[in-house]
Amino acid sequence: MQTFLKFKYYQLKLPCLSSKIRTTQTTCLRNYSSLDKIAQGYQPKDVEKDKYTKWSCESSSKATTLNGPKFSMILPPPNVTGNLHLGHALMATLQDVICRHMIQKGYEVQWIPGTDHAGIATQVVVEKKILKERGLSRHDLGRTEFLKEVWKWKHEKGGSIVDDLKRLGCSLDWKNEYFTMDENQVKAVNRAFVRLFEEGLIRRKKALVNWSCSLESAISDIEVDSIEINGPTEITVPGYDTNITFGQLYNFAYRLHGDESQEIVVSTTRPETLLGDIAVAVHPEDERYTRFQNKATFLWHPFRSQPIPLIFDASVDREFGTGAVKITPAHDKNDFEMAKRHSLESVQVFSEKGRILQNFGNFSDLPRFEARGKILDALASQKLLREIRPHIMNLPLCSRSKDVIEYMLRPQWFVHCQDMANEAVQAVRDGRIQLHPKSFESEWSRWLNDCHDWCVSRQLWWGHQVPAYLAKNEDQEVWIAAETEEEAFAKAQAELRVKNPRLERDPDVLDTWFSSSLLPFSVFNWPSEEFRNSYPLDVMETGHDILFFWVARMTMLGMKLTGDVPFRNVLLNGIVCDAHGRKMSKSLGNVVTPQQVIYGASLKDLQEDIHQSHKSGILGPEELKKSIKGLQKMFPSGIPECGTDALRFTVCSHNIKSHFINFDVAECYTNKLFLNKIWQATRYTLGAHDKINLAVGGIAQEEQELQLMDRWILSRLADTLEVCETSLENYNFHTAVAALKNFFYSNLCDVYLETTKPGIFEGASKARTHCATLATCLSLGLQAMSPFTPFITEELQQYLPKSSGLDVSLYKNSQLETEVNEILDICQAIRQLKSRNKVSKKHEPKVHLFAQNKEAFNTLSKYLIEVKALTLSNEVFLEEISKPISKNEYKLFSTAGHLCSFGISTNSNFQLPSSQISGKDLNNLKLDKLQKELQRYLDRTSNEGFRKSASEAVQKKNFEKIQQLEVEIKNIKSLQS
């Protein structure tokens, strides 16, 4: 008696005979009239409609606790600033594939969704919106009213991200969805800050930071874009009516103090910072300036009317300009470090808004780039300006505001990271955390071994307000960290030893990365101990570009605050680019959204989206023109409808561990056609069932003998399922996708299905076996595909058996696969010769195979029906070569590997095209190709290194290939004689 288990494609334990298949009800189609119910073609919109709602209902009705092992992940939170982009779609799809795979393995999966408040990005978007609609700045509104506008915008726009994720089919745990400004997240952020402060790991200090003058805030390194300027280039800078020119080197003279006859010419790209120069530096080995060594040399500052020293420092680049550089530590990172080495004080030039500070005479209160022109004019009037020339440089821009970054000395909150970073390095080194790919391990160590303090304060209004208070009492003041004002007051009383201290809460907010770094445990209600039920996460999947900005910080804070690593595995994906490898940018017009790929979009629709970005203030007038032009070039006919499954399948078809992933809409559409191929294979199988059911009165409860091709396709299925399992375990999604595509496309549809047609449509007894085999392959194959393409697989599986009752691993037969591959190579050679000479069905082609020997004859004789079906020939004849082939009997002739030669005869309607290369010439070309291939193998096997290092199996395979090539070369030469 046969027992049936719930189907899992990676574990089928039922015993069966290796050469027979039991065609019971489970291996046959469950719905006898199903062909009438399935659409004639694959239509993604119809297939995907309402499925996610159905899945959500099924998920909510399931028991909340299962007996299986647990698996947990969180979705890296997309910014609450609009719809998902392809980068989000890639990450969400990969994570969904992982989760669906783990569900298939019997795990209780918890995949937590959420969105990030995105401090800078959201504030910029809302500010632009208010300015566009009402002509008001956030300062006009005030902090309280502005924050109301941000929350209002969040509630209006945040839902679109959730809709996009559901549209992608993501099996997220929506009942536990979080937002990084939720009450529980606020509690976690405050607790983390206070703990780190009390342990001395968070301190307030004055330091040089990336500063956006338009935002009036410090920003992180990841929010700085460095663009290369090749010579004089005009750049649009926020707050200026005209463009500002960059890409020039300015040389001006500093005269020696006390001896105006001598001067040192300094080179700079930033003359507007000259007001803050506190020294001029040269390299100690620069012969141009050695005469000034070993004596105190001072230069006269032309605007501050005071001497500044000439210093010697080995960090100076002698090849830059004149070799003498101005030192402005308040506005340059390298200068700041040099000033510390030489114990020099800084002079700040710019205000938070990027205007010249007071006490700088006529330059006071000028915008920094207006001051540049005034300073150059003043230098010229004093006869100090020497030269302005083109220069290649890198210009740092704020990725959000597009403002030119200024480096500013500001009091900020910093997290001391080095001790925590050392722990993070050790966690990867001892295997508690595994990075995929492993190539990032060295970079992880290199970056964390020299981990700078982390600036976590931002001068914004939207975000987690720093839970720190300045406590004052007469001439005393001290900073206190506390989760509530009441707690801060009590701490201030104890610290200052007074009854009524005054408290001022820091108005700054915390860096968004700070709250995001707590997510692996904060989403599970940390600091409550219940978080340990789901912590650490099993996998953290994200982009490699934020390995240090986010993954490393999650690791550091996770280990510090919980005592354990935040996750066991880190999977890093590449950056999604367009088909030409360019980073997607609205200004290039190459941005593609998941929605546009899923539903399709006309060129007009794409252009309208760009115009909306312009209207909302995201794109300027020049960017709008570039974007429209780029769209017309990239998508002249718009984007065709591809559907969700094709999008998911396409992003998974790339090696996601590569640094860059080039997404091609055309490839996505091709995958939609591939899915239609599977759809049609299912329809064929349903039709085959209907036919044999009508012919023989149903599927008999008896064992049917498997044909060779039945066993071959089951072997291919077993191999494919094994590759899929191994690939998913190692996060090699592209390998699994390639195996599935090869199985369904090349093996099942193009080969096996074609070989079943004679038996099925002639009503032969083996039709029942073919039908059961087709159903088995589709059922198990679709189950393997379901993590990648959940919509179409669920749609088709309702027509197919849930289980075949087969342990397909028993059908693995590498010898049979090798044999069939040789037959397929023969069929391909015949098809190619027919195609090249335009031989069609009307010519009634007949194929004559000439076996090389008795063994080849026996092999070929088993596949004559298959050769006929796969070569679209009227007849196939076989004989063993016992005498030279009479080529005159055949219109075309050639060889097909080492097993045989073949000739093609036709009716009198066929004439060799006059422009076609003759059969003899084609064979000459083939002979030349074979001889070159043979020589490569001979060279390889004669190499001493190959003989020593190659395994015995590899060497045997190479020698077998040599023998096969020699046989085919001999055959083709005989055809020419």
Side-chain angles (χ1 to χ4, degrees):
M1 182 175 178
Q2 197 167 18
T3 304
F4 298 103
L5 297 179
K6 182 180 179 182
F7 169 72
K8 291 177 184 176
Y9 75 83
Y10 50 88
Q11 188 178 13
L12 295 170
K13 296 298 186 183
L14 296 182
C16 67
L17 300 176
S18 62
S19 62
K20 294 184 178 181
I21 185 167
R22 182 178 292 279
T23 55
T24 63
Q25 188 64 32
T26 52
T27 58
C28 297
L29 306 166
R30 294 176 288 156
N31 189 340
Y32 288 125
S33 60
S34 48
L35 183 58
D36 297 330
K37 293 185 177 181
I38 185 171
Q40 291 189 353
Y42 169 55
Q43 297 296 331
K45 284 183 182 178
D46 296 336
V47 169
E48 295 164 15
K49 184 181 179 181
D50 299 329
K51 270 195 174 53
Y52 198 87
T53 302
K54 171 177 172 285
W55 294 340
S56 298
C57 292
E58 290 175 349
S59 176
S60 61
S61 65
K62 289 179 181 176
T64 54
T65 57
L66 301 174
N67 295 325
K70 292 185 178 182
F71 179 88
S72 60
M73 285 201 321
I74 64 169
L75 178 76
N79 291 349
V80 59
T81 52
N83 297 322
L84 295 187
H85 55 62
L86 277 178
H88 293 133
L90 170 70
M91 287 192 293
T93 298
L94 297 177
Q95 291 165 46
D96 191 50
V97 169
I98 293 171
C99 287
R100 288 177 181 273
H101 175 62
M102 298 307 293
I103 290 170
Q104 286 182 330
K105 293 178 69 173
Y107 281 76
E108 179 186 349
V109 172
Q110 193 174 22
W111 182 25
I112 308 297
T115 48
D116 194 287
H117 64 280
I120 292 177
T122 303
Q123 181 162 311
V124 168
V125 169
V126 176
E127 280 194 76
K128 287 183 176 181
K129 179 177 180 290
I130 294 171
L131 184 63
K132 191 89 172 177
E133 294 176 354
R134 299 162 61 182
L136 298 174
S137 69
R138 64 183 165 107
H139 298 285
D140 295 329
L141 286 179
R143 184 165 187 156
T144 301
E145 289 303 312
F146 177 75
L147 289 179
K148 287 181 181 178
E149 289 292 327
V150 179
W151 276 108
K152 178 182 175 183
W153 185 90
K154 187 267 176 186
H155 292 311
E156 289 175 353
K157 296 293 185 181
S160 64
I161 292 174
V162 172
D163 291 341
D164 286 345
L165 288 168
K166 290 180 177 179
R167 191 176 290 112
L168 280 172
C170 296
S171 50
L172 287 153
D173 182 7
W174 291 110
K175 65 180 180 294
N176 287 315
E177 180 185 359
Y178 69 88
F179 176 54
T180 52
M181 291 285 286
D182 285 344
E183 183 179 346
N184 190 68
Q185 296 300 314
V186 172
K187 181 181 179 180
V189 167
N190 289 342
R191 176 67 59 87
F193 186 94
V194 172
R195 275 192 55 180
L196 294 171
F197 178 88
E198 290 179 343
E199 292 189 32
L201 292 174
I202 286 185
R203 281 292 177 261
R204 187 173 175 84
K205 64 181 180 180
K206 194 172 185 180
L208 202 65
V209 294
N210 303 317
W211 189 265
S212 170
C213 297
S214 61
L215 294 174
E216 297 181 46
S217 174
I219 64 173
S220 67
D221 288 344
I222 199 173
E223 289 153 337
V224 178
D225 293 334
S226 183
I227 62 170
E228 185 173 299
I229 305 293
N230 295 305
T233 305
E234 291 189 354
I235 301 290
T236 301
V237 180
Y240 293 85
D241 296 330
T242 58
N243 290 344
I244 309 300
T245 301
F246 296 91
Q248 296 186 127
L249 192 66
Y250 304 86
N251 288 352
F252 69 93
Y254 265 115
R255 291 180 179 140
L256 264 64
H257 179 48
D259 185 1
E260 293 188 1
S261 64
Q262 295 191 68
E263 66 182 27
I264 292 180
V265 177
V266 173
S267 297
T268 182
T269 59
R270 307 191 63 212
E272 63 274 13
T273 63
L274 186 150
L275 300 172
D277 288 359
I278 51 86
V280 170
V282 295
H283 195 282
E285 296 176 4
D286 193 329
E287 294 180 356
R288 290 169 291 184
Y289 306 106
T290 51
R291 70 183 186 277
F292 297 111
Q293 282 188 337
N294 302 320
K295 60 181 179 180
T297 302
F298 289 87
L299 307 170
W300 188 251
H301 196 289
F303 302 122
R304 295 210 310 271
S305 298
Q306 65 183 66
I308 60 174
L310 175 68
I311 61 176
F312 295 83
D313 196 288
S315 68
V316 176
D317 180 4
R318 284 177 281 183
E319 303 302 318
F320 177 77
T322 62
V325 294
K326 54 194 284 305
I327 306 303
T328 317
H331 300 289
D332 185 277
K333 290 181 177 180
N334 294 327
D335 293 0
F336 182 74
E337 296 300 323
M338 191 183 298
K340 284 201 298 184
R341 288 196 295 272
H342 293 269
S343 302
L344 298 173
E345 295 294 329
S346 299
V347 174
Q348 187 163 327
V349 179
F350 307 120
S351 70
E352 292 88 344
K353 294 183 179 181
R355 304 181 78 89
I356 304 296
L357 293 171
Q358 299 301 319
N359 303 319
F360 283 106
N362 294 334
F363 305 116
S364 298
D365 204 38
L366 286 175
R368 54 187 165 150
F369 295 122
E370 284 187 24
R372 173 189 289 186
K374 299 288 186 183
I375 289 171
L376 290 172
D377 290 342
L379 288 172
S381 67
Q382 295 184 47
K383 296 183 171 44
L384 297 175
L385 187 61
R386 295 290 178 264
E387 183 184 17
I388 302 175
R389 68 172 188 264
H391 181 66
I392 297 174
M393 61 178 290
N394 288 315
L395 186 68
L397 297 180
C398 172
S399 63
R400 304 299 181 186
S401 65
K402 305 306 178 185
D403 196 5
V404 176
I405 292 298
E406 198 60 67
Y407 299 102
M408 300 275 274
L409 275 171
R410 300 290 300 160
Q412 302 285 329
W413 291 99
F414 286 86
V415 178
H416 176 68
C417 294
Q418 191 58 65
D419 293 339
M420 293 187 290
N422 294 340
E423 292 292 326
V425 170
Q426 186 59 38
V428 169
R429 189 172 292 153
D430 61 27
R432 282 176 289 162
I433 297 176
Q434 295 190 43
L435 302 183
H436 308 270
K438 285 186 173 293
S439 57
F440 280 101
E441 289 182 1
S442 58
E443 194 172 345
W444 175 270
S445 298
R446 179 180 57 81
W447 192 84
L448 289 175
N449 283 333
D450 185 22
C451 190
H452 301 293
D453 287 356
W454 170 19
C455 176
V456 293
S457 50
R458 298 290 181 266
Q459 291 63 52
L460 304 172
W461 289 355
W462 172 242
H464 293 272
Q465 190 171 352
V466 175
Y469 300 78
L470 184 60
K472 298 180 180 180
N473 179 53
E474 297 179 355
D475 59 344
Q476 290 181 295
E477 62 179 37
V478 62
W479 281 100
I480 289 170
E483 295 184 50
T484 65
E485 189 170 344
E486 292 76 18
E487 181 187 339
F489 190 81
K491 287 183 175 181
Q493 286 179 315
E495 190 78 23
L496 297 176
R497 299 181 180 180
V498 296
K499 186 175 182 180
N500 293 307
R502 300 190 306 276
L503 293 179
E504 294 177 9
R505 185 169 183 177
D506 192 326
D508 289 354
V509 300
L510 288 165
D511 179 12
T512 304
W513 294 106
F514 186 84
S515 55
S516 296
S517 296
L518 309 178
L519 289 176
F521 45 97
S522 66
V523 298
F524 299 117
N525 295 320
W526 182 86
S528 166
E529 278 299 306
E530 69 179 85
F531 84 94
R532 296 194 185 277
N533 294 330
S534 301
Y535 184 90
L537 304 174
D538 290 279
V539 177
M540 169 53 65
E541 195 284 324
T542 190
H544 70 71
D545 56 323
I546 54 174
L547 176 62
F548 307 113
F549 291 102
W550 191 39
V551 178
R553 287 166 176 170
M554 282 190 287
T555 304
M556 290 189 288
L557 294 188
M559 294 179 71
K560 182 65 182 176
L561 297 172
T562 74
D564 198 357
V565 294
F567 25 68
R568 304 298 186 198
N569 294 279
V570 178
L571 174 59
L572 301 167
N573 64 259
I575 307 302
V576 179
C577 301
D578 69 11
H580 304 292
R582 301 176 303 173
K583 187 176 179 180
M584 289 193 176
S585 164
K586 285 189 175 179
S587 62
L588 289 175
N590 64 345
V591 173
V592 178
T593 69
Q595 284 193 53
Q596 291 166 344
V597 177
I598 292 170
Y599 298 120
S602 66
L603 179 59
K604 183 179 179 181
D605 292 335
L606 297 173
Q607 291 173 336
E608 180 58 30
D609 286 344
I610 295 297
H611 281 291
Q612 286 298 325
S613 295
H614 171 60
K615 289 177 183 178
S616 63
I618 296 174
L619 288 180
E622 289 301 317
E623 289 178 310
L624 174 65
K625 291 179 183 178
K626 289 180 181 178
S627 185
I628 293 295
K629 187 176 180 181
L631 275 177
Q632 292 170 340
K633 185 176 181 180
M634 284 286 293
F635 310 110
S637 301
I639 297 174
E641 177 197 8
C642 298
T644 301
D645 284 330
L647 171 61
R648 290 169 60 108
F649 201 71
T650 302
V651 296
C652 291
S653 68
H654 296 271
N655 184 352
I656 60 97
K657 298 175 187 176
S658 300
H659 262 58
F660 299 101
I661 300 166
N662 296 350
F663 180 83
D664 191 349
V665 171
E667 180 187 358
C668 198
Y669 186 72
T670 298
N671 282 327
K672 176 193 174 184
L673 300 180
F674 162 67
L675 296 178
N676 183 60
K677 192 90 169 177
I678 299 175
W679 187 280
Q680 298 305 329
T682 305
R683 280 182 53 82
Y684 171 83
T685 303
L686 298 175
H689 168 268
D690 289 347
K691 182 175 180 63
I692 61 174
N693 181 50
L694 292 172
V696 299
I699 299 298
Q701 299 288 330
E702 61 192 39
E703 290 186 345
Q704 299 293 326
E705 190 72 28
L706 284 171
Q707 305 298 305
L708 282 171
M709 293 304 290
D710 299 326
R711 288 195 282 126
W712 170 76
I713 196 63
L714 289 172
S715 178
R716 291 299 310 125
L717 173 64
D719 182 73
T720 301
L721 299 184
E722 185 178 305
V723 169
C724 285
E725 174 66 12
T726 303
S727 299
L728 285 171
E729 290 297 315
N730 293 304
Y731 310 119
N732 293 322
F733 306 95
H734 65 297
T735 308
V737 165
L740 287 165
K741 198 165 186 179
N742 182 63
F743 172 75
F744 276 109
Y745 219 135
S746 302
N747 301 152
L748 186 69
C749 296
D750 286 356
V751 176
Y752 177 71
L753 188 146
E754 294 298 324
T755 65
T756 66
K757 288 180 178 179
I760 288 176
F761 290 103
E762 291 171 12
S765 59
K766 58 186 177 183
R768 286 172 288 181
T769 307
H770 290 334
C771 180
T773 304
L774 281 166
T776 298
C777 289
L778 285 168
S779 178
L780 300 188
L782 286 170
Q783 186 73 4
M785 268 192 69
S786 62
F788 302 99
T789 57
F791 293 98
I792 190 173
T793 49
E794 175 165 299
E795 181 70 20
L796 294 179
Q797 281 173 328
Q798 65 181 308
Y799 304 106
L800 296 164
K802 289 185 178 179
S803 169
S804 69
L806 292 174
D807 182 354
V808 289
S809 65
L810 296 177
Y811 288 92
K812 284 200 70 172
N813 188 331
S814 57
Q815 184 177 350
L816 176 61
E817 288 197 37
T818 299
E819 185 175 280
V820 172
N821 285 340
E822 290 177 334
I823 299 301
L824 296 179
D825 287 343
I826 291 169
C827 292
Q828 184 181 22
I830 295 169
R831 287 198 307 270
Q832 286 178 344
L833 193 61
K834 285 177 60 185
S835 175
R836 193 177 289 122
N837 291 279
K838 296 181 173 54
V839 177
S840 64
K841 191 174 182 179
K842 68 180 182 180
H843 299 131
E844 300 177 351
K846 297 177 182 179
V847 174
H848 301 259
L849 302 177
F850 301 95
Q852 175 62 28
N853 49 44
K854 187 66 177 178
E855 182 182 355
F857 182 91
N858 292 336
T859 298
L860 291 166
S861 63
K862 296 183 289 185
Y863 297 96
L864 297 184
I865 294 175
E866 287 74 19
V867 172
K868 178 183 175 183
L870 294 174
T871 61
L872 300 177
S873 301
N874 281 28
E875 296 288 345
V876 176
F877 304 98
L878 173 65
E879 58 183 280
E880 187 176 351
I881 296 178
S882 57
K883 59 182 179 179
I885 302 170
S886 177
K887 301 187 294 291
N888 295 330
E889 296 181 22
Y890 311 107
K891 296 291 179 68
L892 301 165
F893 56 91
S894 188
T895 60
H898 66 285
L899 288 181
C900 68
S901 303
F902 68 92
I904 300 175
S905 61
T906 66
N907 59 24
S908 58
N909 293 328
F910 174 74
Q911 295 294 327
L912 189 68
S914 57
S915 59
Q916 184 62 44
I917 301 174
S918 69
K920 182 177 181 180
D921 289 337
L922 284 171
N923 286 328
N924 282 334
L925 292 173
K926 188 171 186 176
L927 177 62
D928 182 58
K929 181 180 178 181
L930 291 170
Q931 288 174 328
K932 288 179 179 178
E933 186 177 2
L934 174 61
Q935 189 59 50
R936 284 197 299 271
Y937 275 96
L938 291 172
D939 292 342
R940 182 185 304 167
T941 54
S942 63
N943 182 276
E944 185 177 350
F946 175 81
R947 291 197 299 270
K948 288 182 178 180
S949 61
S951 66
E952 185 178 342
V954 170
Q955 294 195 49
K956 181 181 178 182
K957 188 174 180 179
N958 276 266
F959 284 118
E960 286 176 351
K961 184 64 177 178
I962 288 172
Q963 291 175 334
Q964 292 171 0
L965 286 168
E966 287 174 341
V967 168
E968 187 170 8
I969 288 170
K970 179 182 176 183
N971 288 345
I972 203 166
K973 285 182 175 179
S974 71
L975 291 174
Q976 295 175 319
S977 59

